[in-house]
Amino acid sequence: MVEFALTIPILLALATAIFTFGLAFHSYLELTNAVNMGALVLAQSRGAADPCNAAAAQVKHVSTFLSKSNLTFNYTFYSTNFYNTSGATPTTLLTVSNATTCSPTATQMLSGGAVLLRVTYTLRPYGIFKYSFPNFTMGAQSVQPIQ
């Protein structure tokens, strides 16, 4: 009985750490998937009044497990696609940080260009007893050619 009383706090702390790591890994996978889907919507929204809002809505829709208030969005529009064969360095046409809305002009969202969607997420994990794990930030990004 004494051995059990001595080992149970260690086992509970270990189980909580494993659970928290699983929660963080699941959050990262869901964030990565949501950012890919949001970047696709952003790349296909050429000509829309607010393509960034459509992308943010898609990310929030796909990421059902994540807390929507902990998401931060950054958008970058480039003149050429990153996957071009000419070797030209893409020129940044527009960068929007910490916003869910934007209004790129027709010259900033060119067909054949590229969009970069970068989203960060602050995870607030659970704790055990009086100890709680610190918050940490994870991020994901996706580059898509503009359609």
Side-chain angles (χ1 to χ4, degrees), residues 15 20 32 50 60-61 65 81-82 85 88-89 97 100 111 114 117-118 120 130-131 133 137:
T20 302
T32 303
D50 191 357
K60 290 177 181 179
H61 175 73
F65 180 75
N81 191 345
F82 282 95
T85 57
T89 303
S97 299
T100 56
S111 179
L117 174 59
R118 183 177 292 130
T120 57
K130 290 188 177 186
Y131 177 78
F133 294 98
T137 302

Side-chain angles (χ1 to χ4, degrees), residues 74-78 92-97 108 118:
N74 296 307
Y75 311 90
T76 307
F77 297 88
Y78 295 100
T92 302
L93 299 176
L94 175 67
T95 300
V96 180
S97 299
Q108 292 170 330
R118 183 177 292 130

Side-chain angles (χ1 to χ4, degrees), residues 4-5 8 11 29 50 55 59 67 83 98 130 147:
F4 180 74
I8 195 67
L11 292 176
L29 291 176
D50 191 357
V59 169
S67 175
Y83 308 110
N98 298 327
K130 290 188 177 186
Q147 305 294 320

Side-chain angles (χ1 to χ4, degrees), residues 79 93 104-110:
S79 61
L93 299 176
T105 63
T107 58
Q108 292 170 330
M109 200 162 177
L110 301 169

Side-chain angles (χ1 to χ4, degrees), residues 114-134:
V115 291
L116 169 68
L117 174 59
R118 183 177 292 130
V119 180
T120 57
Y121 178 70
T122 303
L123 179 65
R124 294 182 172 92
Y126 305 107
I128 183 170
F129 305 121
K130 290 188 177 186
Y131 177 78
S132 63
F133 294 98

